[in-house]
């Protein structure tokens, strides 16, 4: 890894401190942050430590001998202190791997007058690219809080890779040797991007980098007009996995404006948008069909939860897909299958059948009932369950067969009725008066018959919520209909007690409306 060397010049003495944060293991330039630079300056200017002597320390003959023997043991290096050679194994050379460009850098801490607070010292960094002493252009980056970076670069490299620098150099006098960039927001990334102009294989340098870091490089490359770097960043973003929705949104928002300028944007956007002409409605219909037909309990239960959540989010979005017809087609199919199964289970011949014939039919009946309950939940969330109430209220044959099916199997159907009453009571379902009256007339008594089992055999059953929904549904009817239904309920409640829905609140409201404060005189 290349090094940045911080130099402090005193009287007749040069003290070198290596700061190994100039280049990351992947080969990126990593300009020392103001904090790191500040720590280095603090270490060189201790407040409570006396100044060292200006004369260099003398070495004894023994020390010189040891130093000479140590140098003989070490491999020979280039005479330039700012060069770092990278050794590449032969096997990597055979595979076409080229050694990374060596970027030599030096950080110079300028000596200033002694101040009581070292945090106020100016911070200046000098970085030299390529072979030492060959740069013919200075680029000065002025960052925040007085942090300045001076880059020693080559005009030909910048002209070939950056339209920004090419225009700047073209507009200046041939003897012009310095370009200043004021208010540089991200000095470190700016230095990295300039360093990438000296690299042949940009894609190799981006591997294993974070998405956020590459997005910062892409932003600077756009400002500099560094097209090769832009394309390499886009290739990286297309291939690397994105972690989380936040990172996905950050990537998409960072490249959308390049859609008409670079062909590398479209492959990235295909992750989040599709060009297929097949409507999304067909895909969602297929998903619903797979969940409804599944017979694996655990997977089916989990995917019902996931699909319900995603459909709820889809309903809130501006690009929601209308699933009304698709869902009601599935409802009608499940309702038809449920009626056929009830006819089979209610027949006298079926009772005498062996378990291997009865059990599959019972399991399928439970499955279709569960499908209808789930679809009703989806419709209620989308405020589209009115038509379902009409369909369910018109199932007189199914309600008539209800009492002929064993209680342990039929109570799943009563869960559908209870869910409808809860929806009407909450205002989620708003069927017309005739539908509400027919629904109570058809399904309230079967619900009362199964109420004891619902309380003890159904974990998701909430008695208070269901009773409140039934009572509110009754109170939406004309007063005469309220009276007929509540007097019928009273007869059942006095016989069954706790095994019957407790509609006392609705009964009290009806009583007050009838006897205490009638709003219309007879």
């Amino acid at each position: 890894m290349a090094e940045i060397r911080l130099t402090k010049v005193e009287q007749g003495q040069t003290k070198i401190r290596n700061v190994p944060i100039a280049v990351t293991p992947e080969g990126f330039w990593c300009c020392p942050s103001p904090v790191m630079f500040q720590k280095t300056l603090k270490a060189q200017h201790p407040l409570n430590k006396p100044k060292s002597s200006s004369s260099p320390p003398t070495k004894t003959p023994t020390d010189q001998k040891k130093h000479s023997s140590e140098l003989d043991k070490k491999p020979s290096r280039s005479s330039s202190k700012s060069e770092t050679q990278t050794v590449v194994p032969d096997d990597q050379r055979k595979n076409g791997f080229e050694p990374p460009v060596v970027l030599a850098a030096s950080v110079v801490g300028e000596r200033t007058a002694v101040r009581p607070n070292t945090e106020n010292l100016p911070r200046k960094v000098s970085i030299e690219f390529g072979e030492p002493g060959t740069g013919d252009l200075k680029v000065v980056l002025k960052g925040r809080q007085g942090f300045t970076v001076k880059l020693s670069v080559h005009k030909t490299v910048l002209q070939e890779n950056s339209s920004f620098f090419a225009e700047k150099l073209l507009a200046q006098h041939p003897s012009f040797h310095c370009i200043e960039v004021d208010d540089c927001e991200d000095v470190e990334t700016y230095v990295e991007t300039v360093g990438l102009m000296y690299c042949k294989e940009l894609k190799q340098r981006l591997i294993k980098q974070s998405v956020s870091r590459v997005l910062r490089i892409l932003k600077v490359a756009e400002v500099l007009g560094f097209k090769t770097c832009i394309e390499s960043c886009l290739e990286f973003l297309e291939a690397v996995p994105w972690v989380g929705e936040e990172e996905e949104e950050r990537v998409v928002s960072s490249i959308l404006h390049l859609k008409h300028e670079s062909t590398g944007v479209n492959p990235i956007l295909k992750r989040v948008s599709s060009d297929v002409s097949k409507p999304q409605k067909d895909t969602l219909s297929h998903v619903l069909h797979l969940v409804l037909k599944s017979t694996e309990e655990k997977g089916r239960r989990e995917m019902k939860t996931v699909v319900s959540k995603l459909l709820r989010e889809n309903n809130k979005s501006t690009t929601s897909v209308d699933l009304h017809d698709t869902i009601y087609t599935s409802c009608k199919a499940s309702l038809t299958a449920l009626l056929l199964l009830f006819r089979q289970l209610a027949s006298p011949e079926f009772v005498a059948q062996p378990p291997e014939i009865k059990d599959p039919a019972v399991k399928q009946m439970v499955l279709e009932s569960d499908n209808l309950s789930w679809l009703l939940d989806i419709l209620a969330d989308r405020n589209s369950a009115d038509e379902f109430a009409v369909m369910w209220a018109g199932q007189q044959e199914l309600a008539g067969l209800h009492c002929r099916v064993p209680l342990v199997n039929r109570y799943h159907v009563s869960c559908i009725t209870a869910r409808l009453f809860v929806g009407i009571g909450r205002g989620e379902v708003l069927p017309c008066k005739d539908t509400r009256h027919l629904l109570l007339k058809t399904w309230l008594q079967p619900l009362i018959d199964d109420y004891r089992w619902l309380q003890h055999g159904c974990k998701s059953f909430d008695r208070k919520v269901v009773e409140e929904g039934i009572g509110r549904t009754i109170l939406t009817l004309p007063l005469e209909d309220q009276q007929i239904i509540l007097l019928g309920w009273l007869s059942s409640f006095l016989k069954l007690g706790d095994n019957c829905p407790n509609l006392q609140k609705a009964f009290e409201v009806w009583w007050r409306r009838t006897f205490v404060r009638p709003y219309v005189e007879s």
Side-chain angles (χ1 to χ4, degrees), residues 355-395:
E356 57 268 18
I357 296 179
K358 294 191 336 184
D359 290 347
V362 172
K363 185 177 180 181
Q364 187 63 31
M365 186 270 293
V366 173
L367 185 68
E368 297 298 345
S369 301
D370 185 66
N371 285 342
L372 286 169
S373 295
W374 181 53
L375 292 171
L376 175 56
D377 285 334
I378 295 174
L379 291 170
D381 287 339
R382 302 171 69 87
N383 301 322
S384 303
D386 296 355
E387 188 177 339
F388 189 97
V390 175
M391 291 170 50
W392 193 248
Q395 297 300 314

Side-chain angles (χ1 to χ4, degrees), residues 32-50:
S33 63
V35 176
M36 178 61 68
F37 188 76
Q38 194 66 50
K39 290 180 178 179
T40 306
L41 288 178
K42 284 183 179 181
Q44 293 187 359
H45 293 273
L47 295 177
N48 300 324
K49 187 175 180 180

